[in-house]
């Protein structure tokens, strides 16, 4: 279960998008004194950096930052300072790598391809030196023994140099975390947003330039009068002479009303 979690963490670490503030090639130029300090007092620097990565809260300390099988089984909770000293002196490589993983997981930092090549070259050179030492011990040839010694010295030199650059890289990243490079640039404050109210016919044009020649239109168009077709102009109003002259007639002419033959026959008059 623990190994599966470690594999998932390694896979998730490949998808991180942030980068180190300084790559391994630039650490010597970025902080030369600390790089020299990391080269000559590597275990002390590893102790200080791990404690700083934990925000100086040693109650959070776990052996190798929880990335090794021995993590949590060494009595760290009883005496974390002593356990950390033991880790940085007896397992120096693991202590540097654990601090690196701790920072990467906290800030979602991925390692660049150039840094991966440098670290991979360091490991390959150590493996080659180890193979040559084994071959020289089996064969007993002086030439192979001298070559293996040269490779071992070269591997140790590369290992110490890369570890010093890695620890300087960790220190620079924590300086950035603690704000030692100055305050972060302030973000521009967005304009105050306004909401259109019910009594407003047109919503406020916040954030948009006014359009030329645009006149606000009423929210609702006037509805046509009852009985008038929609989309047609209203009918002309009646003339001032209404009602029409001669209507109704003043009186019927004699003999015009009722009409002759009314009522029909069969009805009493």
């Amino acid at each position: 279960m623990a190994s599966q979690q470690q594999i998932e963490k390694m896979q998730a670490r490949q998808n991180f998008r942030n980068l180190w503030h300084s790559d391994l090639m630039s650490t010597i130029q970025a902080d030369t004194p600390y790089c020299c300090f990391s080269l000559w007092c590597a275990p002390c620097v590893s102790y200080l950096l791990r404690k700083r990565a934990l925000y100086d809260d040693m109650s959070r300390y776990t052996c190798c930052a929880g990335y090794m099988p021995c993590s949590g089984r060494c009595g760290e909770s009883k005496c974390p300072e002593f356990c950390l000293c033991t880790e940085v002196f007896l397992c120096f490589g693991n202590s540097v790598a654990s601090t690196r993983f701790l920072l990467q997981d906290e800030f979602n930092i991925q390692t660049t391809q150039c840094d991966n090549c440098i670290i991979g070259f360091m490991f390959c050179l150590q493996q080659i030196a180890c193979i040559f030492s084994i071959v020289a011990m089996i064969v007993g040839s002086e030439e192979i023994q001298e070559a293996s010694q040269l490779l071992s010295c070269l591997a140790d030199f590369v290992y110490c140099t890369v570890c010093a650059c890695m620890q300087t890289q960790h220190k620079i990243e924590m300086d950035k975390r603690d704000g030692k490079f100055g305050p972060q640039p302030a973000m521009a404050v967005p304009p105050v947003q306004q909401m259109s109210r019910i009594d407003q016919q047109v919503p406020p044009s916040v954030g948009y330039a006014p359009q030329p020649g645009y006149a606000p239109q009423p929210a609702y168009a006037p509805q046509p009068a009852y009985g008038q077709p929609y989309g047609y102009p209203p009918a002309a109003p009646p003339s001032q002479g209404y009602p029409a002259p001669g209507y109704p007639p003043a009186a019927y002419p004699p003999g015009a009303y009722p009409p002759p033959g009314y009522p029909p026959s069969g009805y009493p008059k």
Side-chain angles (χ1 to χ4, degrees):
M1 185 64 181
S3 60
Q4 182 65 26
Q5 292 178 354
Q6 296 299 328
I7 294 174
E8 292 177 357
K9 286 183 179 180
M10 293 178 64
Q11 293 176 352
R13 202 174 289 125
Q14 297 176 357
N15 299 324
F16 290 163
R17 291 293 178 265
N18 296 329
L19 298 176
W20 295 98
H21 187 76
S22 176
D23 56 7
L24 290 178
M25 297 291 293
S26 304
T27 52
I28 299 177
Q29 183 180 1
D31 198 339
T32 305
Y34 200 88
C35 192
C36 296
F37 178 46
S38 302
L39 181 63
W40 298 109
C41 302
C44 299
V45 172
S46 182
Y47 180 94
L48 296 174
L49 290 178
R50 176 67 64 79
K51 185 177 180 181
R52 185 178 174 186
L54 298 174
Y55 299 90
D56 295 330
D57 184 8
M58 292 302 293
S59 62
R60 302 172 52 192
Y61 170 76
T62 306
C63 180
C64 296
Y67 295 103
M68 298 298 169
C70 62
S71 300
R73 303 178 182 179
C74 302
E76 301 95 328
S77 59
K78 298 180 180 179
C79 189
E81 288 82 4
F82 176 77
C83 291
L84 181 56
C85 289
T86 305
E87 176 188 341
V88 298
F89 279 101
L90 300 183
C91 305
F92 172 73
N94 289 338
S95 68
V96 175
S98 300
T99 303
R100 185 177 188 85
F101 295 153
L102 189 65
L103 294 175
Q104 283 185 283
D105 292 340
E106 182 178 0
F107 302 112
N108 296 337
I109 301 174
Q110 66 171 346
T111 302
T112 61
Q113 294 183 357
C114 181
D115 290 357
N116 284 330
C117 290
I118 294 174
I119 297 172
F121 173 74
M122 176 188 68
F123 287 132
C124 290
L125 194 59
Q126 288 180 339
Q127 298 297 326
I128 294 174
C130 181
I131 292 173
F132 265 76
S133 298
I134 295 174
V135 172
M137 200 168 51
I138 294 175
V139 176
S141 174
E142 293 183 359
E143 291 80 4
I144 298 179
Q145 289 181 355
E146 291 179 358
S148 66
Q149 290 177 0
L150 289 176
L151 281 174
S152 297
C153 291
L154 181 61
D156 292 340
F157 174 77
V158 173
Y159 175 79
C160 295
T161 304
V162 173
C163 286
C165 292
M166 289 177 65
Q167 298 208 93
T168 307
Q169 188 181 47
H170 303 165
K171 184 258 183 184
I172 294 173
E173 193 66 30
M174 283 186 280
D175 287 345
K176 176 184 175 182
R177 179 197 70 182
D178 298 338
K180 293 188 177 182
F181 295 149
Q184 298 294 332
M187 300 295 291
V189 179
V192 179
Q193 298 182 357
Q194 298 183 13
M195 298 180 62
S196 60
R197 303 187 301 271
I198 298 177
D199 57 347
Q200 283 181 320
Q201 295 182 352
V202 180
S205 57
V206 177
Y208 297 92
Q211 300 296 329
Y214 174 78
Q217 299 295 331
Y220 297 94
Q223 299 296 328
Y226 179 75
Q228 174 186 343
Y230 185 82
Y232 292 89
S239 60
Q240 298 294 331
Y242 182 83
Y247 181 86
Y252 289 95
Y257 185 86
Y262 183 84
S265 58
Y267 288 89
K269 296 185 178 179

